[in-house]
Amino acid sequence: MHMSPTETGKAGTTVVPTGGALGAEIRNADLRTIDDRYFAVILGAWHDHLLLLFREQELSDEELIAFSKRFGELDWAPVQESGRRFVEGHPEIYVVSNVVENGVAIGSLGAGEATWHTDMSYMEVPPKASMLYALEAPPSGGDTYFNNMYAAYESLPADLKRRIEGLSLKHDGTYNSGGYLRQGVTAVDDPMTSPGVYHPLVCTHPETRRRAIYLGRRRNAYIGGLSLAESESLLEELWLYAARPELAWGHKWRPGDLVLWDNRCTMHRRDSFDAASRRVMHRTQIRDEVAPRS
Ligand code: SIN
């Protein structure tokens, strides 16, 4: 990963790596006015760094959707645990918030911790990317951490790489990362029978061709064909590698921040925060063209 800022060619705009295990900040960019040449630079930086941060944006929902669509078609937002589906008129926008209006939560995940996960990996074709835009941020807490799943794969001992080659993992569709039951789903806590979708445990990124462990989320995960005890033991081993702090980079949010991440080679988690403060984020999900492949 390059450590020095890179000029992108547009006046004053630079790509500045975080210096951590992943991520770069794109400085001096107005996402409402990105031409094709500059978009190609952003795309390249995203593939190199897995995650991009853009600060001081002033985007309407329509502008957030328009920028997201530069990367591909958008998936509709999942149903929130309150039963609300999406922002009126914008089915692509998922609201992540602890704010309650007229007794109803306006978004998902509340103010609690969200555990490590990859967005919507319980789908046959999960979104390749997510974009999270901060409208309101709490003064402290609610930081989001992202990790580098290429580096997690590369750090595995050769023997462990051999053991997981060709295996498939069930990604749970029962609970979201905040521990809330998804709408319309019956609570099941047996990983062997819980609803979910199988994906290869090691996937090759269709664009970079690099390999990554694809874990999705820990709860109700199950490695097909193994006994539950064998599956749990292998998953524990893999999660020890994947969730190491040195593979992660954390972001403290300010209003106007937008983070774009690649769901095919990262996971993320969020700290809890004071429920009395407000945190309002709008997220889009960019549809992948292909299902995860080994
Ligand atoms: C998410 O999991 O997409 C939301 C993360 C966050 O609230 O920071």
Side-chain angles (χ1 to χ4, degrees):
M1 189 177 284
H2 306 290
M3 292 303 297
S4 56
T6 312
E7 290 289 335
T8 64
K10 185 161 172 150
T13 302
T14 47
V15 180
V16 183
T18 63
L22 72 166
E25 181 179 347
I26 307 284
R27 296 221 175 123
N28 305 318
D30 181 346
L31 299 181
R32 297 170 298 190
T33 57
I34 300 292
D35 61 24
D36 287 350
R37 184 162 151 260
Y38 183 38
F39 181 72
V41 173
I42 290 179
L43 199 58
W46 182 50
H47 286 145
D48 285 349
H49 298 285
L50 294 65
L51 170 153
L52 297 178
L53 163 66
F54 305 84
R55 287 201 188 268
E56 294 174 5
Q57 301 300 313
E58 292 179 16
L59 301 177
S60 64
D61 283 336
E62 291 77 11
E63 288 162 342
L64 173 62
I65 289 169
F67 180 60
S68 303
K69 281 189 172 169
R70 302 290 297 266
F71 293 82
E73 290 302 311
L74 304 188
D75 279 317
W76 278 22
V79 181
Q80 295 168 187
E81 60 260 13
S82 65
R84 274 171 79 141
R85 180 149 182 122
F86 37 62
V87 176
E88 204 50 51
H90 294 308
E92 305 92 341
I93 291 187
Y94 182 60
V95 182
V96 179
S97 184
N98 64 318
V99 172
V100 175
E101 281 173 4
N102 302 322
V104 182
I106 66 163
S108 285
L109 301 181
E113 184 190 351
T115 55
W116 283 116
H117 67 284
T118 301
D119 291 330
M120 297 159 70
S121 64
Y122 50 85
M123 290 172 60
E124 294 285 351
V125 183
K128 63 180 170 187
S130 302
M131 236 181 245
L132 192 62
Y133 178 54
L135 295 164
E136 295 182 61
S140 63
D143 300 353
T144 309
Y145 294 81
F146 300 85
N147 79 342
N148 182 334
M149 295 298 277
Y150 295 137
Y153 178 69
E154 285 153 16
S155 73
L156 299 181
D159 167 57
L160 188 49
K161 280 187 181 157
R162 267 195 301 277
R163 277 165 60 208
I164 61 174
E165 194 61 44
L167 294 179
S168 293
L169 176 69
K170 183 164 63 169
H171 293 238
D172 180 53
T174 316
Y175 299 99
N176 70 18
S177 59
Y180 298 96
L181 194 62
R182 294 185 191 283
Q183 272 290 311
V185 176
T186 308
V188 181
D189 291 289
D190 174 359
M192 293 185 83
T193 58
S194 62
V197 166
Y198 283 89
H199 295 299
L201 190 44
V202 179
C203 291
T204 303
H205 192 291
E207 265 112 11
T208 66
R209 309 305 304 167
R210 292 179 70 187
R211 305 196 85 198
I213 322 178
Y214 193 54
L215 288 178
R217 63 197 66 224
R218 180 65 184 90
R219 191 166 183 181
N220 274 351
Y222 169 66
I223 300 175
L226 302 191
S227 70
L228 184 55
E230 285 167 339
S231 167
E232 287 292 308
S233 147
L234 188 47
L235 285 171
E236 283 306 305
E237 211 174 330
L238 290 172
W239 275 89
L240 280 180
Y241 282 97
R244 278 175 297 154
E246 62 267 31
L247 298 186
W249 171 80
H251 180 56
K252 174 160 189 50
W253 294 92
R254 300 198 301 237
D257 286 355
L258 183 143
V259 174
L260 160 71
W261 65 85
D262 192 325
N263 281 311
R264 299 163 293 189
C265 51
T266 67
M267 296 194 296
H268 55 283
R269 59 164 285 269
R270 182 193 80 189
D271 282 344
S272 61
F273 56 99
D274 180 358
S277 52
R278 290 172 61 98
R279 188 176 189 271
V280 182
M281 325 280 280
H282 280 188
R283 192 186 82 188
T284 55
Q285 305 70 219
I286 299 148
R287 187 176 304 160
D288 209 343
E289 293 82 23
V290 288
R293 286 191 209 150
S294 59

